[in-house]
Amino acid sequence: MGGQQSCTGCDEYSFSILPKPVKNDKIFTVVLTGGPCAGKTSSLENFTAALKARGYDVYATPEVPTILMAPPGGCVFPGGDPENAEKLIAFETNLMKLQIQLEETFIGIAASTGRKSVVVMDRGLMDVQAYLNADQWKSILEANHMTEDMMAERYDFALHLCTTAKGVESIYERERANNAARSEDAAAARWLDDRILTCYEAHPNRVISENSPDTGFKEKLDQCTSALLVALGEVTAPEEQSR
């Protein structure tokens, strides 16, 4: 994680955050997270079909780092070099600003319809912690008068999909070979997955979807869909879910 870095310029990048998005009781918010090549996009497609079949409207925010860095965004991640510490603070703080705005916008539009809706965040505020050291993260929280509990309260349910580099490494390597943007080797993917798992430890309603060589990808997707339906109260939990 590099040496400890204070955030001497955090006030320059501070922003306001609501304890929880303004929504009505027909809105259910989900943060979909996990390591590289975990199946988030496929899972979203799978449970969206199941939710719509049960009469829910489904909204999904785009992944903020992709908005910033993929063409035509043009933003460059500063990395963890201590010389870039202030640039990293600026990058992640502005990323969080956009994350909050997207969440509020999608939730506000969903609430305006008066229909029961699920709003899915493709990664959330707490993912940012995975890319910072402890002092940098603490500095951002203090500069913006927020806590991890305040961020966790924004999401009714957290669904973590473990990277395929855990348990089914051959699949990870195959997908990595076919995706030039997938820079992490399997060890780095596992490390990042563990970091993101730690980020959401404070969330009171989290399910972790793991991989198994004994079951296929479809079973993983179905497990995620089942977990979300349980969280919504649509079905009864078949067994104790992993947290």
Side-chain angles (χ1 to χ4, degrees), residues 1 9 17 46 62 70 91 98 105 109 113 135 139 153 158 167 171 177 189-190 201 213 220 224 232 236 238:
M1 292 301 297
I17 181 171
N46 195 62
F91 183 94
L98 181 54
T105 297
I109 291 172
T113 69
D135 284 353
S139 295
E153 288 175 358
I171 294 177
R190 290 190 291 269
E201 283 181 338
K220 182 179 184 179
C224 293
L232 283 163
T236 303

Side-chain angles (χ1 to χ4, degrees), residues 27-224:
I27 307 298
F28 189 86
T29 53
V30 177
V31 57
L32 185 61
T33 187
C37 194
K40 291 192 294 102
T41 300
S42 297
S43 180
L44 174 62
E45 293 172 353
N46 195 62
F47 65 63
T48 292
L51 291 170
K52 288 185 174 181
R54 291 173 179 267
Y56 287 89
D57 291 343
V58 182
Y59 302 80
T61 68
E63 186 182 56
V64 174
T66 300
I67 294 174
L68 296 177
M69 293 186 288
C75 298
V76 178
F77 181 66
D81 191 317
E83 293 182 358
N84 292 330
E86 288 302 319
K87 293 179 182 178
L88 179 60
I89 291 292
F91 183 94
E92 296 294 2
T93 304
N94 281 287
L95 184 153
M96 293 172 77
K97 288 182 184 179
L98 181 54
Q99 180 72 42
I100 291 167
Q101 183 59 63
L102 279 172
E103 291 179 6
E104 298 292 349
T105 297
F106 276 71
I107 291 169
I109 291 172
S112 73
T113 69
R115 294 171 52 82
K116 63 178 185 178
S117 304
V118 174
V119 182
V120 183
M121 321 304 174
D122 189 345
R123 302 202 179 279
L125 289 171
M126 299 167 79
D127 283 76
V128 170
Q129 184 182 0
Y131 300 90
L132 301 169
N133 67 38
D135 284 353
Q136 290 168 335
W137 179 241
K138 180 180 178 182
S139 295
I140 288 179
L141 295 184
E142 290 179 348
N144 296 286
H145 311 290
M146 61 183 178
T147 66
E148 291 180 15
D149 285 343
M150 289 169 61
M151 286 185 284
E153 288 175 358
R154 297 176 67 85
Y155 313 113
D156 296 315
F157 180 60
L159 180 58
H160 179 106
L161 280 72
C162 290
T163 174
T164 50
K166 290 180 174 179
V168 284
E169 188 172 329
S170 60
I171 294 177
Y172 181 83
E173 294 296 353
R174 184 181 68 227
E175 293 299 320
R176 181 182 176 221
N178 294 329
N179 185 352
R182 185 71 66 203
S183 61
E184 303 93 349
D185 62 19
R190 290 190 291 269
W191 179 86
L192 182 56
D193 194 276
D194 287 341
R195 289 282 299 170
I196 297 170
L197 277 169
T198 301
C199 295
Y200 284 88
E201 283 181 338
H203 199 284
N205 189 20
R206 177 179 69 161
V207 165
I208 301 168
S209 177
E210 299 176 335
N211 306 294
S212 171
D214 299 325
T215 58
F217 187 54
K218 183 180 184 302
E219 285 76 13
K220 182 179 184 179
L221 299 183
D222 289 343
Q223 178 195 45
C224 293

